Amino acid sequence: MANKAIQAILTRVSCREYNEKKVSLGKLNQILEAGKYAPSGKFRQIANITCVRTKAKIERLRELLKEQFGRECLYGANTVVLVHGPRDDAFTVQDCSCVLENIFVAANALKVQSCWINQFDELFLTPKGMKMKERLGIPAENRLVGAAILGYAKDPSKLVVKERKADFISIK
Ligand SMILES: Cc1cc2nc3c(=O)[nH]c(=O)nc-3n(C[C@H](O)[C@H](O)[C@H](O)COP(=O)(O)O)c2cc1C
């Protein structure tokens, strides 16, 4: 695998067990910048990134998720990147998903592990979740398309790329 960009795509895996080490601001800024430069439908840039890394806020998110879903949803990660956009816009899911994928690939290129976390929209529709959404400065009308947790694997040997189905691609 010669090309570094392709390599970062092909070796990305979801990590579900993190150690305490925090991603440096230098790396985090590069990762978020990669998200910012994702394509957007008609270049309207309707997606927004809210990055949470204050200990108290991360703990509150962890607590609320546990209360709502009955399990640890953040896998010990201490950086959460929330990606959101207007709920009623036809391009919100597409634009936010492009942002998220750029974040995952950029993180991997910088040897930072990641995983998509999907529970935030549902959480932010609950009364306690709504308060937290407001505390984070996310507009009430925004849909949380997804979140990227970032950090470092507790056990890097568990980071194995899953094989894809054989008929994934067809070229006609
Ligand atoms: C839309 C979407 C939602 C996902 N939600 C979660 C989630 O809530 N929790 C989780 O642990 N992984 C989540 N994942 C990660 C997938 O489970 C993972 O990408 C898939 O199993 C393939 O593994 P890989 O990422 O290691 O290639 C999500 C992925 C996508 C694209």
Side-chain angles (χ1 to χ4, degrees):
M1 265 190 279
N3 183 281
K4 282 189 176 171
I6 304 275
Q7 201 173 337
I9 292 168
L10 298 186
T11 60
R12 182 214 53 81
V13 296
S14 295
C15 173
R16 296 190 178 85
E17 218 180 344
Y18 293 82
N19 64 28
E20 312 256 285
K21 188 179 165 190
K22 231 174 171 178
V23 179
S24 70
L25 265 182
K27 282 194 177 187
L28 184 62
N29 282 329
Q30 291 179 70
I31 293 166
L32 299 179
E33 195 73 359
K36 182 171 150 183
Y37 276 81
S40 73
K42 299 181 183 166
F43 192 43
R44 288 189 294 127
Q45 301 183 86
I46 55 171
N48 273 98
I49 292 173
T50 302
C51 180
V52 187
R53 54 188 251 127
T54 314
K55 199 170 180 210
K57 290 191 177 78
I58 290 285
E59 281 317 312
R60 184 62 183 147
L61 286 176
R62 199 187 305 286
E63 197 177 83
L64 289 174
L65 287 164
K66 183 105 195 261
E67 208 175 287
Q68 181 68 18
F69 299 101
R71 62 182 179 88
E72 162 59 39
C73 296
L74 299 181
Y75 309 120
N78 50 32
T79 299
V80 177
V81 183
L82 300 161
V83 183
H84 50 94
R87 188 172 297 279
D88 56 2
D89 196 294
F91 282 174
T92 293
V93 171
Q94 292 89 328
D95 281 14
C96 289
S97 298
C98 287
V99 171
L100 281 158
E101 181 61 3
N102 270 17
I103 287 172
F104 296 130
V105 173
N108 189 39
L110 296 175
K111 303 196 182 325
V112 171
Q113 277 77 58
S114 65
C115 186
W116 180 309
I117 302 300
N118 213 47
Q119 285 79 34
F120 284 102
D121 197 51
E122 195 178 329
L123 176 70
F124 287 164
L125 290 170
T126 67
K128 285 181 187 173
M130 270 180 212
K131 267 194 190 163
M132 188 62 191
K133 190 178 177 186
E134 195 183 346
R135 190 176 154 199
L136 294 171
I138 299 172
E141 69 273 16
N142 273 15
R143 171 177 177 178
L144 246 297
V145 173
I149 48 170
L150 301 173
Y152 295 95
K154 223 174 198 172
D155 180 0
S157 72
K158 285 188 184 166
L159 301 174
V160 180
V161 175
K162 292 178 190 166
E163 203 172 312
R164 266 45 182 182
K165 59 182 183 180
D167 61 352
F168 205 116
I169 301 167
S170 80
I171 299 176
K172 309 284 183 199

